[in-house]
Amino acid sequence: MEFERRVAEEIRATGRKLTGLAVPFNQPSRIMDFEERVLPGAFSGCLAKSPDVACLADHDPSRLLGRTRSKTLRLAETSEGLSFEVDLPKTSLGADILALAERGDLGGMSIGFRVNPGGERWDGNRRDLTSLELVEISVISGGEPAYKTSVQARSKAPVRLALAIRRMELL
C-alpha cells in the first residue's frame, strides 16, 4: 500500500489542547489531476483496531505532540469527518504550536494514510476513499489544505479566525 498525505484546515485551541477536524467527509478535493473524497466510515475499521497513531508537527517523527497509545491523542469518526483532540505537551514545541493556533497562524491538519485493499472506488477522474489505515496526523505550520474547512482558535473565550481556503497537492 502506498503512503499518502492530505491536509485540511480545522484546528481549535482550548487550554493546552488542540481539537478539530483532521479530514471532512464527502468534501471533494482536487488532487493533482483527479478529484477525491473521503467517505463516512473510511476510518472505522482502523479505529476499531485501536492502532497507535501519533500526532506530529509537520509530519516530523522527532516532533511528537501526542499519541493514542498514551491517550494524549483521541480520534473519532463523527458525522462530519475524522475528529481529533490532542493534549499538548508542556514543552517548547507544545507552547509554540499552542501560540500559533491561538493566533490563527497554523496551516491546518494533515493525515498520513494507506488505502486498504478494496478501499477506493474510481469513476473516471473521481476517487472515493472508503477504507483507510491511518498512520499519523500532523499539525501543519504552513501549507495548503486538500479539503476545505474553517480554522478556529479558542483560548479562554471562543474566538473564530477564518483563514483563506487553500489547496494542496500530494507532498
Side-chain angles (χ1 to χ4, degrees), residues 41-102:
F43 299 100
S44 60
C46 173
L47 295 179
K49 295 177 189 174
S50 300
D52 183 27
V53 177
C55 180
L56 309 174
D58 297 312
H59 295 288
D60 183 346
S62 69
R63 300 178 69 205
L64 181 67
L65 295 170
R67 63 184 329 127
T68 56
R69 182 179 67 208
S70 64
K71 298 182 177 33
T72 55
L73 171 63
R74 291 159 301 283
L75 300 166
E77 274 198 351
T78 68
S79 60
E80 295 179 10
L82 178 66
S83 68
F84 73 94
E85 181 178 73
V86 62
D87 303 324
L88 292 173
K90 292 181 181 178
T91 62
S92 57
L93 175 62
D96 290 347
I97 294 294
L98 181 60
L100 292 171
E102 289 173 343

Side-chain angles (χ1 to χ4, degrees), residues 95-150:
D96 290 347
I97 294 294
L98 181 60
L100 292 171
E102 289 173 343
R103 290 171 26 139
D105 289 343
L106 293 174
M109 290 301 297
S110 179
I111 63 168
F113 64 93
R114 291 184 184 91
V115 179
N116 290 324
E120 63 186 342
R121 291 191 306 253
W122 284 91
D123 182 11
N125 285 340
R126 190 176 84 203
R127 180 190 195 197
D128 288 337
L129 299 173
T130 60
S131 179
L132 303 175
E133 175 192 344
L134 187 62
V135 177
E136 51 95 2
I137 70 169
S138 280
V139 177
I140 303 299
S141 56
E144 301 194 14
Y147 299 99
K148 299 183 292 183
T149 59
S150 65

Side-chain angles (χ1 to χ4, degrees), residues 31-48:
I31 308 293
M32 296 170 60
D33 63 345
F34 63 94
E35 182 180 274
E36 178 180 86
R37 294 183 308 165
V38 177
L39 299 184
F43 299 100
S44 60
C46 173
L47 295 179

